[in-house]
Amino acid sequence: MPDAQEGLFAAVDALLEEAAGTLPPPGERVRLREAGSLTQAQVAKALRVRRETVADWEAARKEPRPPKRAAYIRLLEGLAARHPVPEPTAAPTPPPASEVHPAPSAASSSPAAAEPAEGVAAPVAPSRPRRAVEPSQAPHRPAGRTAGTPAVAKKDAPKRPTKAAPKRPAPVPADVDPRFGNGPLGVLDGDGSLYCVGGLVLDCPATTLPALVEWTLAEAKLGAPRLHKSGKDSDPLIVLTAGAAELLGLPATLEDRRGLRLPEDHKAVKQLTKADWKLTRRGFGPWARIYRSADGGRRRCVQLAVLPWGALDARSWGDTGQLPPAEVAAVLGTYATRVLTPRGSTAVCGLELMSALRPPTRAVRDETTGSWVSGPLPGSLTEPVDPAPPEAPMEHPVVAARYPRFHERTPEEALDEEAYDWFRPLTDEECTQGYTHAVGIDVNMAFAAAANRLNVGLGPATHVRAPAFDPKLPGSWLVDLSHLDLDPRLPSPFTPRGDRPEGPAWYSTSTVAYALELGARVRPVEAYVRHEHGAYLDPWYARLRDAYLETMADLGVTTGMSDEEFLAAMAHHKDADAGRAAVLSAVKSTVKGGIGKLRERPQSARHPYGEGWPALQRPTWSPHIRAELIGKARTNMHRKMTKLASVGRYPVAVLSDCAVYVSRGPSPLDFLPYTPEGKPLPGGFRLGVNPGMVKHEGTQDFLWLASMIEDEQLNPARYIKGTDAVADGE
């Protein structure tokens, strides 16, 4: 009985809060916020909601609910008291009738009535009108959007709203490609609503896959311009919700869990085949590419992403696949704008971004015929090449030709450039000096930072014996570094497990160059070197760096913060906006996944040993580049740890880009060294948001650390956050 009474009281309290005040009209809400010099982001942060939610409140697309409603009303009432509505001024005297000119007709004044640009097909008249949602960043309507009344929240709207007369499209600004006026992608819901970036909602009449593809190419105006003048425009992406998949006749789940594709006799696939549409070799799966041959140089291709089939992996995209369609469009649209339009997993996107920024070919004039033909683009990976034998994975034909199937290659036979996985026993001094905590620090975008200005091979390798080492020549070197005597409290920079090498082994140029820096005698026995080389990954790094920093700024973490401000902002940055946090996760996964794809191994467990696989046909299949990059990331980590060791700070564990130190306090500020002037130790780890700087990864007590090392024999860096970093995709 008391529980029932408390429930009734809670319900009454909710009603009282709902009636606690009246919201002003939408326009007044915007006026009050702007009069107070407040941004939507500031209001959202104070009320602990997303910025898009505040925009929806201001446009009356949604109404705030308790307990946010009362807080929002209180804010508006406070602003109204400080900024009352200005007194109306006297109405101006109307001009004489002779001076009043009739308004020009829509047919004569609308830019949409003009002829389409040369080479661009005129849009087919839509069979349904287009609807537009007011953009969240008023006052101006975004470029390329149709005019219309604000759409109400979907849960409050009828299933199919009453249609108004079709509106003419707004003029597209000069800096927006008119072919892609509605953005790079759309999210299709089960009622035919296609949610695009910027809040735009189009009415899609298609109820079959062929009709959807035809409509997308003819009317939707989706896609994105190329990132390089010799590259290709991004094809339009249509994301299908569960409702849309059902509408188009697709099953709720894929029965083929191994191949992850529809059978070729499925009704949907037959519809496409009958309409002369083709599928790529991977078939109709979570990411399906539907195309016809190019028509006069114009691509005819649409990418589909099927959300109920797991197109958005939770390890990379968080809960994005479970969000409402408009929010899915916002997340993917942000990623598309900052990185590229998604074309598959984030790993696929990472690899595709390399080719989009450094296309393999360009148009060149044939001196014989005078016509334009395709030719290699200098500075790019232009054609597939075989790896050097020590660089190739065990399944590769060049390895199978040398060794029997179950042969385990030694360090003298195989290159082993991988990230750190190392920990050591605690010293007696560490156990008796009053340390109370273990603190983990993580390098931001460590592998992306290693790609910056990295010199890599762009062509086939040349085998040489007893060469002189050249740090400017990328490749793989067989050299003995076991003579180098290093502090046992630090991991060796030459092996992933941190053990001292026992004899000659293969290393990338990045690692051997660091050995020279440490004073080693470097006398290679043999090498595979690449005379054609360059900084292939520079534009890739720059674009991902900018995407990362821009997204972090959205989450309230910016460059120039003090160490204390940075740690405070990082403690809650993922709570500020779930959508932006998903973009951040995807950007970071794009880096690691793209690097992994450089050495992609066979996807089938039944792959015949010693035979090639599809990935080998890509110019971007390059285990050498992956080895150079990981070697540089690992030696960068060792260089910074060595600098801290010079002032008596030694790591107890390292996992990839995370290092764990003992500390007398729970914060990185309690153990990171500073100069007498209060500056970070030059050459050491430095707190900050930029790639290559570090953030707080996690803290545990000292007894936990001792138990992990001594009792569990587990790497503490893997669990310093309280979860399994590898399982979390770190």
Side-chain angles (χ1 to χ4, degrees):
M1 191 66 177
D3 291 342
Q5 189 176 49
E6 289 180 8
L8 290 172
F9 286 171
V12 170
D13 289 343
L15 287 174
L16 291 173
E17 184 169 328
E18 183 72 20
T22 304
L23 283 166
E28 179 65 2
R29 301 173 199 179
V30 176
R31 185 195 73 80
L32 290 172
R33 175 178 59 76
E34 292 179 346
S37 300
L38 298 176
T39 65
Q40 290 177 340
Q42 288 174 305
V43 175
K45 184 176 181 181
L47 298 179
R48 299 178 184 176
V49 296
R50 298 174 62 239
R51 183 192 58 75
E52 287 80 359
T53 301
V54 175
D56 287 341
W57 292 348
E58 292 184 349
R61 291 191 291 269
K62 296 179 182 178
E63 291 295 324
R65 296 181 178 179
K68 311 294 185 187
R69 178 184 173 85
Y72 186 48
I73 289 173
R74 178 174 180 144
L75 170 65
L76 295 178
E77 288 177 345
L79 290 172
R82 298 185 182 187
H83 308 283
V85 178
E87 292 293 331
T89 58
T93 304
S98 60
E99 296 181 15
V100 178
H101 302 282
S105 65
S108 64
S109 64
S110 172
E115 290 293 323
E118 183 179 352
V120 179
V124 179
S127 53
R128 294 186 181 185
R130 303 194 291 177
R131 296 179 288 142
V133 177
E134 286 292 332
S136 58
Q137 294 280 3
H140 296 297
R141 195 177 301 280
R145 304 296 179 238
T146 58
T149 56
V152 295
K154 191 159 189 176
K155 62 188 176 184
D156 298 325
K159 185 66 176 178
R160 297 296 299 162
T162 303
K163 296 293 186 285
K167 307 283 187 182
R168 293 185 182 275
V172 178
D175 60 343
V176 175
D177 192 322
R179 297 172 299 161
F180 313 129
N182 292 334
L185 56 90
V187 181
L188 183 63
D189 208 356
D191 67 351
S193 297
L194 186 74
Y195 294 82
C196 305
V197 298
L200 176 68
V201 183
L202 305 180
D203 282 323
C204 174
T207 56
T208 65
L209 284 170
L212 174 63
V213 176
E214 295 277 6
W215 178 85
T216 300
L217 294 175
E219 298 186 36
K221 289 189 176 181
L222 296 177
R226 63 199 68 187
L227 298 179
H228 187 282
K229 64 180 181 180
S230 297
K232 299 176 182 177
D233 296 328
S234 290
D235 297 315
L237 169 63
I238 303 294
V239 182
L240 304 181
T241 64
E246 181 181 1
L247 175 69
L248 297 170
L250 299 176
T253 58
L254 282 176
E255 294 182 3
D256 181 3
R257 302 311 302 167
R258 179 182 293 273
L260 287 177
R261 64 180 64 191
L262 285 180
E264 297 199 5
D265 60 354
H266 190 276
K267 179 181 177 181
V269 178
K270 286 184 174 181
Q271 286 177 342
L272 292 169
T273 303
K274 185 177 180 180
D276 295 327
W277 290 103
K278 301 176 183 179
L279 293 166
T280 57
R281 183 166 45 191
R282 62 184 175 185
F284 201 120
W287 290 90
R289 186 171 287 273
I290 304 171
Y291 71 98
R292 285 178 183 154
S293 299
D295 181 14
R298 184 178 181 185
R299 289 171 62 83
R300 296 185 294 174
C301 182
V302 174
Q303 176 85 53
L304 298 184
V306 188
L307 294 183
W309 295 357
L312 299 181
D313 190 331
R315 291 171 297 180
S316 301
W317 293 98
D319 296 330
T320 301
Q322 309 302 319
L323 295 175
E327 296 185 34
V328 175
V331 172
L332 296 183
T334 301
Y335 180 89
T337 302
R338 296 177 183 176
V339 183
L340 86 167
T341 304
R343 304 176 186 178
S345 67
T346 50
V348 169
C349 293
L351 201 67
E352 290 285 338
L353 182 62
M354 295 180 194
S355 297
L357 294 167
R358 295 267 200 190
T361 60
R362 63 173 176 171
V364 296
R365 189 178 293 278
D366 188 323
E367 295 182 359
T368 304
T369 64
S371 60
W372 290 96
V373 297
S374 179
L377 179 67
S380 292
L381 299 173
T382 59
E383 60 182 1
V385 297
D386 282 338
E391 299 165 355
M394 58 178 291
E395 305 91 347
H396 198 280
V398 302
V399 178
R402 290 181 168 228
Y403 308 106
R405 179 169 187 174
F406 298 106
H407 174 76
E408 292 188 12
R409 291 186 290 172
T410 66
E412 291 183 80
E413 298 168 337
L415 180 70
D416 188 23
E417 293 283 13
E418 299 293 340
Y420 271 131
D421 186 356
W422 168 87
F423 65 98
R424 62 171 174 81
L426 295 170
T427 65
D428 291 341
E429 180 182 2
E430 288 166 340
C431 293
T432 59
Q433 290 300 309
Y435 292 110
T436 57
H437 293 85
V439 181
I441 51 175
D442 181 83
V443 180
N444 303 321
M445 301 275 282
F447 297 103
N452 188 25
R453 298 190 296 275
L454 179 66
N455 188 30
V456 299
L458 303 177
T462 300
H463 185 219
V464 291
R465 295 208 174 263
F469 176 68
D470 183 351
K472 296 181 180 179
L473 203 57
S476 299
W477 309 77
L478 180 61
V479 61
D480 188 354
L481 300 177
S482 61
H483 61 277
L484 200 61
D485 191 19
L486 300 174
D487 194 314
R489 291 171 291 182
L490 292 172
S492 167
F494 308 125
T495 63
R497 303 294 297 181
D499 302 325
R500 183 171 180 166
E502 296 180 354
W506 286 97
Y507 303 101
S508 68
T509 299
S510 300
T511 302
V512 181
Y514 184 61
L516 276 180
E517 186 180 322
L518 295 176
R521 300 186 308 274
V522 175
R523 298 173 182 173
V525 178
E526 59 179 311
Y528 289 89
V529 297
R530 290 167 172 83
H531 296 287
E532 184 184 353
H533 52 80
Y536 172 75
L537 293 173
D538 269 9
W540 184 80
Y541 161 73
R543 187 161 178 87
L544 288 168
R545 174 203 61 202
D546 293 347
Y548 170 77
L549 291 176
E550 192 172 354
T551 306
M552 289 298 289
D554 288 343
L555 295 170
V557 186
T558 60
T559 57
M561 286 181 160
S562 68
D563 290 352
E564 293 79 4
E565 291 172 335
F566 171 72
L567 291 173
M570 286 297 295
H572 303 289
H573 74 290
K574 291 184 179 180
D575 302 329
D577 187 317
R580 301 298 189 192
V583 174
L584 176 65
S585 174
V587 170
K588 294 194 291 187
S589 295
T590 300
V591 173
K592 292 188 177 181
I595 294 169
K597 280 281 185 180
L598 291 169
R599 191 177 181 262
E600 182 179 356
R601 301 176 76 170
Q603 299 298 299
S604 173
R606 292 176 286 186
H607 173 75
Y609 177 74
E611 293 188 11
W613 56 95
L616 303 187
Q617 303 306 312
R618 297 192 313 251
T620 50
W621 192 84
S622 178
H624 146 71
I625 294 181
R626 178 183 179 274
E628 289 283 4
L629 200 153
I630 292 179
K632 184 178 178 183
R634 194 182 63 245
T635 53
N636 282 348
M637 191 86 172
H638 190 273
R639 185 180 291 106
K640 293 178 184 296
M641 291 188 293
T642 300
K643 192 64 179 180
L644 262 67
S646 68
V647 293
R649 312 284 202 279
Y650 294 90
V652 294
V654 184
L655 180 70
S656 187
D657 47 9
C658 172
V660 176
Y661 284 81
V662 293
S663 173
R664 290 184 171 84
S667 168
L669 298 174
D670 295 316
F671 76 88
L672 286 177
Y674 288 79
T675 65
E677 296 76 25
K679 302 291 184 180
L681 181 70
F685 293 115
R686 180 176 180 178
L687 291 168
V689 70
N690 286 312
M693 300 174 79
V694 300
K695 62 180 181 295
H696 183 202
E697 180 72 356
T699 297
Q700 301 288 341
D701 62 52
F702 187 84
L703 292 179
W704 173 90
L705 175 70
S707 175
M708 290 292 288
I709 293 176
E710 305 296 340
D711 301 333
E712 304 291 339
Q713 292 292 300
L714 296 174
N715 188 340
R718 180 168 181 160
Y719 304 97
I720 193 70
K721 289 201 302 185
T723 58
D724 188 329
V726 176
D728 291 344
E730 295 290 335

